[in-house]
Amino acid sequence: MNREILFRGKRTDNGEWTQGYLFRIWEKAYICWGTVNDIPDMKEVDPETVCQYTGLIDKNGRKIFEGDVVKALYKPKDEDLTTDYFIIKWDKYCCKYVGYYTRKENEYNPLLFGSQVSFEIIGNIFGNPELMEGA
């Protein structure tokens, strides 16, 4: 199985999101998505907005990147169907992406990526800061 290594970032010239391969030189970051006449086709992005693709997609087929805020519908063991909101972050201690509760500081749900979870991207930490109250 091949793993897709992909990044996204906000372009510095127009503020739009772009995704592709990450290239960094000195303090600058670029997203490259191909070549034209053997010349890389890339745009400079704000390094603070660079996020990696998790390898997961939401219920609408959209790729989930770190920094996304997702609505998760799941059923914890012996409990009713639950809806929670999570910020997707890389956890260096678990060596994986986890979902941190948006309203409980530094608390995450390790079962978030189980097979019985339905995700929907509702925003991201850069464009929707109001979604991070308490995170």
Side-chain angles (χ1 to χ4, degrees):
M1 179 174 133
N2 286 337
R3 192 177 108 207
E4 186 175 17
I5 299 174
L6 191 64
F7 293 85
R8 76 168 178 204
K10 269 190 153 182
R11 291 174 47 170
T12 57
D13 61 348
N14 63 13
E16 291 182 11
W17 288 98
T18 188
Q19 56 182 285
Y21 304 100
L22 179 63
F23 175 73
R24 287 185 182 257
I25 185 165
W26 297 290
E27 300 87 32
K28 296 189 182 238
Y30 301 86
I31 298 288
C32 175
W33 57 87
T35 60
V36 175
N37 297 325
D38 293 329
I39 298 171
D41 194 357
M42 60 187 177
K43 296 294 179 189
E44 184 177 353
V45 296
D46 178 350
E48 296 296 315
T49 66
V50 172
C51 303
Q52 189 169 357
Y53 174 47
T54 64
L56 300 170
I57 57 171
D58 77 354
K59 70 179 193 172
N60 300 312
R62 294 174 57 199
K63 292 178 178 174
I64 299 174
F65 285 81
E66 66 181 312
D68 279 340
V69 179
V70 297
K71 179 170 88 172
L73 183 63
Y74 62 103
K75 187 174 182 347
K77 188 176 182 180
D78 300 327
E79 294 182 31
D80 293 333
L81 200 59
T82 303
T83 300
D84 274 316
Y85 298 87
F86 298 91
I87 302 167
I88 305 304
K89 296 181 183 180
W90 176 258
D91 187 299
K92 65 182 177 184
Y93 301 107
C94 295
C95 294
K96 64 180 179 180
Y97 286 102
V98 296
Y100 283 84
Y101 290 102
T102 57
R103 308 239 187 300
K104 299 175 188 171
E105 188 171 342
N106 294 324
E107 193 173 322
Y108 71 92
N109 183 345
L111 302 175
L112 179 63
F113 293 127
S115 60
Q116 298 178 351
V117 178
S118 171
F119 299 107
E120 182 176 14
I121 299 169
I122 60 168
N124 64 58
I125 60 174
F126 305 103
N128 310 97
E130 70 280 2
L131 297 174
M132 275 68 64
E133 293 174 15

